[in-house]
Amino acid sequence: MLTILIDGIAYGMLLFVMASGLAVTLGLMNFVNLAHGAFAMLGGYVTALAMNRLGLPFLATLPLAFLASAALGAIAERTLYVWLYRRSHLDQVLFSIALVFMSMAAADWLVGSQQQLITLPAWLQGRLEIAGVAIGRYRLFLILVCAALVVALQLILARTRFGARLRAAVDNQRVARGLGINVSAIFAATFAVGSGLAGLGGALGIELLGLDPSFPLKILVYVMIVVTIGGTSSLTGPFIAALIIGVADVAGKYYLPELGAFLIYLMMIVLLVLRPQGLIASGR
Amino acid sequence: MKRRVFLGTAMASAAAFSLSARGVMAAAKPFEIGLILPMTGPFASTGRQIEAAVRLYIAQNGDEVAGRKIEIVLRDDASVADATKRHAQELIVREKVEALAGFGLTPLALATAPLSAQAKIPQIVMAAATSSITEASPFIIRTSYTTPQVTAKIAEWASGDGVRKAVTLVSDYGPGIDAEKTFIKTFGEAGGQVVESLRVPLANPDFAPFLQKVADQKPDAIFVFVPSGVGAPFMKQFVERGLNTSGIKLLADGGVTDDDILDSMGDPALVAITGFHYSAGHDSALNKEFVKAFGAANNGSRPNFMAVGGYDGMHALYTGLEATKGDSTGQALIEAIKGKAWESPRGPISIDPNTRDIVQNVYMRRVERIEGKLWNVEFQTFDAVKDPGKAG
């Protein structure tokens, strides 16, 4: 059932884009930001409103969704989150979950509670037959975009000066500061990029997941599962985890509808029993 | 001296004024209706539609019936049953309302039922659609519809249209399961066969695996029941998978092509054949006037099935109060409303005197693009359908 597999991969890729930002903040910066989904929702609304009210084409709204979420992420990091880095995880959880509820109420008040619907360009609708396998065009598009993002992220982290500084700042903040690395600026930039990725994920996800003010809570569970199973020491772990979850969720609902939504929780338990540190854990 | 005269006249006129005011009040204590709706949260559009329709009805028909002034006290329960019950209690005890109305969802209506029974005041259910609701209190009157009422007719139509093999796909919650059971029963009795019954978790809107299953089963038709906001993503994925050209009919409850958001759904909505009790495109003079007035009062938006439930709920109270000549005791009002029949924007309707539930036409519709906008266009009518859950 290749169609099921591809549906699952597309779904998993989407989960990864939304979760990657959280993997960065949680894993690299050791900060629990449950409000991650709120940034994803913002990206979704930017795309939906830009398409429906301003008439912009779908592709043009994607960078907007990224930039808007990244900008808000940067502002929130400088004004709100910066005070919480040194606080306990419980404080961080309480603070960020409150942000989630505030963002939901704000979305409801500003835009209304109804589902936001978008119309994709014609070349993204319908499906293709490749070697006898029917693939939704939009799902193929998702896989390509997300795969490109994964490669780009990995290259930035592993090959660029910024990536090297970020890794240094994460491994040992004091030494990094001593070497003249501006740790707080690097963290702010990273947080902004993470929020931007969430926003992009939200924009790409409207077509598959729908968009309404309850969006942050709806995806929170999935995103948390991806990060928990994947481990937080690299991006490879969450990436593999997202693919496993995506495929398992879709295949589970197809082959075992009775288990349906429960299957991914079962998988999470099994994987965490086998590898409590996550799929790919560092020796730290 | 001058001053004393001035004070004297002022006092006298004040006294006269208060006397006359009291006189008017004694002649007509206002008839207060406690309207409890979800105005915030995921079902806020239900609340907004009903409130708008209730206000429209009052604007069109005046706020005085049989010498009683009609007043609405609106409360927001955010579709939480505990809040509905608390609001109902406060409205009865403190505000002394003489009727309750609204109720967006089944649990909200049921939570209030014991209160309306105890306080002996009418409870007008304008939205909630589970069959059993009217049995929960002898003071409940329903002006919306019931899920089995509509679903049974869709199943009947399908088998008449040559559908032999069907798959059902419903959201995994009360109304969805109601719809699934009704469809399987009615369709089975008509000689059809439901080969697969899929239940989709409410929280997960990616329909990919379920639709793939449908594609592999190759039924003649698929029957769908999902909450109205989810209908659009569902139809998009149905088209994305190419099911619209595979000869599988998409049958659904009209909530899927909700008039409120139909036009923003785009072309994928054109595949749906739905059965329902109301379409904003219903072809009658009364409905045209209703849709026009509703749009004029609400920024051009369209009334949907929720709005018409609210509109007719008000009509029930108005005619009831007229018939009792202003006597607002619950028993008298309920007796007066029972068996009433009138022309609604949805067509002819009546309140079944035995069950206090609505009897109405169920229409089969398809989505069509008319002058650039999408509408549910009715093409077949089942006359005066009773709720099959209680008809037997």
Side-chain angles (χ1 to χ4, degrees):
Chain A
M1 285 316 304
L2 272 170
T3 311
I4 288 288
L5 187 65
I6 287 170
D7 286 346
I9 292 175
Y11 186 42
M13 288 280 201
L14 186 64
L15 285 180
F16 173 73
V17 174
M18 281 195 266
S20 58
L22 186 65
V24 171
T25 48
L26 190 67
L28 302 183
M29 294 156 69
N30 193 25
F31 182 82
V32 187
N33 178 24
L34 294 188
H36 197 67
F39 294 102
M41 175 172 70
L42 176 72
Y45 273 112
V46 167
T47 285
L49 295 180
M51 287 183 73
N52 294 339
R53 305 236 170 124
L54 306 178
L56 290 178
F58 178 65
L59 288 187
T61 66
L62 293 182
L64 286 182
F66 178 87
L67 289 176
S69 310
L72 190 75
I75 294 170
E77 200 271 344
R78 283 291 90 183
T79 53
L80 301 173
Y81 286 114
V82 75
W83 307 105
L84 287 152
Y85 284 140
R86 299 199 175 281
R87 301 288 283 275
S88 71
H89 280 169
L90 181 64
D91 286 352
Q92 296 172 351
V93 165
L94 289 177
F95 179 78
S96 55
I97 200 78
L99 280 186
V100 170
F101 285 106
M102 284 163 67
S103 72
M104 287 165 61
D108 192 344
W109 185 66
L110 288 169
V111 196
S113 64
Q114 72 274 28
Q115 282 274 338
Q116 298 294 321
L117 305 171
I118 57 169
T119 309
L120 290 176
W123 58 273
L124 280 176
Q125 293 178 16
R127 58 181 189 169
L128 293 167
E129 291 269 341
I130 299 176
V133 183
I135 302 169
R137 289 183 188 185
Y138 187 67
R139 284 176 202 258
L140 192 63
F141 171 77
L142 273 185
I143 294 177
L144 295 177
V145 170
C146 298
L149 271 175
V150 172
V151 173
L153 282 177
Q154 196 58 42
L155 284 179
I156 290 173
L157 269 182
R159 296 284 168 81
T160 64
R161 180 172 282 265
F162 177 80
R165 284 181 171 162
L166 177 61
R167 280 177 289 137
V170 166
D171 279 344
N172 195 325
Q173 280 199 32
R174 282 178 62 193
V175 174
R177 277 211 184 85
L179 288 170
I181 295 174
N182 186 346
V183 172
S184 69
I186 284 191
F187 275 9
T190 310
F191 195 90
V193 171
S195 306
L197 284 174
L200 184 61
L204 289 171
I206 302 177
E207 191 67 8
L208 251 59
L209 307 174
L211 178 68
D212 61 62
S214 67
F215 188 79
L217 279 186
K218 217 159 52 184
I219 68 158
L220 182 62
V221 176
Y222 285 89
V223 170
M224 292 299 286
I225 291 176
V226 165
V227 176
T228 318
I229 294 183
T232 49
S233 59
S234 70
L235 282 177
T236 328
F239 179 65
I240 297 172
L243 289 186
I244 293 177
I245 292 299
V247 173
D249 196 28
V250 171
K253 281 175 185 151
Y254 183 80
Y255 291 108
L256 298 166
E258 305 78 30
L259 271 180
F262 186 68
L263 191 75
I264 54 166
Y265 300 103
L266 210 64
M267 286 200 51
M268 181 174 75
I269 293 168
V270 171
L271 286 171
L272 286 179
V273 167
L274 293 177
R275 295 195 63 90
Q277 295 299 314
L279 285 177
I280 295 185
S282 70
R284 263 194 288 157
Chain B
M1 180 68 190
K2 248 186 188 170
R3 194 167 128 203
R4 194 174 294 166
V5 171
F6 172 74
L7 274 178
T9 42
M11 275 169 69
S13 60
F17 181 76
S18 72
L19 267 178
S20 70
R22 201 181 300 154
V24 169
M25 273 167 69
K29 182 175 154 295
F31 182 76
E32 284 191 299
I33 302 167
L35 188 62
I36 311 178
L37 292 169
M39 299 301 293
T40 54
F43 298 96
S45 74
T46 299
R48 272 171 223 168
Q49 283 271 348
I50 293 180
E51 192 209 349
V54 165
R55 304 240 181 254
L56 177 66
Y57 189 88
I58 295 174
Q60 285 178 339
N61 296 278
D63 61 354
E64 214 178 284
V65 183
R68 302 285 302 272
K69 198 167 157 47
I70 304 289
E71 276 174 17
I72 298 289
V73 188
L74 179 68
R75 290 280 189 276
D76 173 18
D77 61 13
S79 66
V80 178
D82 286 347
T84 319
K85 192 169 181 182
R86 197 185 66 236
H87 284 312
Q89 217 150 16
E90 272 176 22
L91 286 167
I92 296 170
V93 176
R94 203 172 307 158
E95 303 281 335
K96 306 255 186 291
V97 299
E98 293 182 276
L100 292 168
F103 311 103
L105 305 169
T106 298
L108 313 183
L110 290 178
T112 315
L115 296 176
S116 73
Q118 207 183 351
K120 296 191 170 38
I121 63 172
Q123 177 184 354
I124 312 290
V125 175
M126 296 170 160
T130 306
S131 178
S132 64
I133 286 175
T134 48
E135 290 161 355
S137 154
F139 289 86
I140 290 181
I141 281 178
R142 169 154 48 196
T143 56
S144 50
Y145 74 113
T146 79
T147 309
Q149 189 177 40
V150 166
T151 306
K153 290 301 158 191
I154 299 174
E156 238 180 271
W157 179 84
S159 80
D161 199 54
V163 175
R164 286 285 150 265
K165 200 174 131 187
V167 169
T168 63
L169 186 153
V170 303
S171 281
D172 198 358
Y173 73 136
I177 292 162
D178 251 20
E180 179 192 284
K181 284 187 181 146
T182 310
F183 189 88
I184 293 174
K185 182 167 173 280
T186 319
F187 192 61
E189 282 166 2
Q193 191 198 356
V194 174
V195 290
E196 181 100 47
S197 296
L198 302 167
R199 290 184 184 174
V200 184
L202 258 187
N204 177 58
D206 186 6
F207 293 102
F210 304 102
L211 286 173
Q212 191 56 43
K213 199 134 202 172
V214 174
D216 295 344
Q217 287 274 5
K218 297 194 178 53
D220 302 326
I222 167 175
F223 169 74
V224 183
F225 186 100
V226 292
S228 76
V230 184
F234 175 80
M235 281 184 291
K236 281 186 175 183
Q237 295 194 16
F238 188 82
V239 173
E240 179 201 71
R241 214 147 280 270
L243 288 173
N244 55 331
T245 53
S246 63
I248 300 174
K249 280 199 184 84
L250 174 60
L251 306 174
D253 171 281
V256 168
T257 56
D258 186 345
D259 287 305
D260 200 13
I261 48 174
L262 176 61
D263 199 41
S264 60
M265 289 183 187
D267 287 342
L270 293 169
V271 303
I273 299 172
T274 55
F276 221 29
H277 58 286
Y278 178 69
S279 157
H282 179 69
D283 194 15
S284 77
L286 185 64
N287 182 54
K288 287 200 173 98
E289 189 195 326
F290 174 63
V291 173
K292 206 173 138 202
F294 189 94
N298 297 287
N299 232 339
S301 70
R302 265 186 220 177
N304 68 359
F305 60 108
M306 296 295 180
V308 83
Y311 196 76
D312 287 329
M314 287 308 289
H315 187 87
L317 279 175
Y318 268 52
T319 49
L321 211 51
E322 242 160 42
T324 61
K325 302 193 168 52
D327 175 5
S328 56
T329 49
Q331 203 67 53
L333 268 179
I334 293 289
E335 287 306 323
I337 299 171
K338 273 186 193 174
K340 276 267 182 309
W342 69 91
E343 174 77 15
S344 148
R346 61 184 120 177
I349 61 174
S350 65
I351 303 295
D352 187 327
N354 299 317
T355 62
R356 290 162 279 107
D357 216 331
I358 186 163
V359 180
Q360 60 190 330
N361 294 351
V362 171
Y363 306 91
M364 295 304 299
R365 313 95 50 88
R366 58 173 67 88
V367 179
E368 284 176 26
R369 196 174 277 286
I370 297 167
E371 289 164 12
K373 295 207 180 288
L374 295 175
W375 295 91
N376 286 307
V377 178
E378 297 160 352
F379 62 85
Q380 192 177 333
T381 308
F382 293 94
D383 285 322
V385 181
K386 286 187 179 186
D387 172 39
K390 294 182 288 278

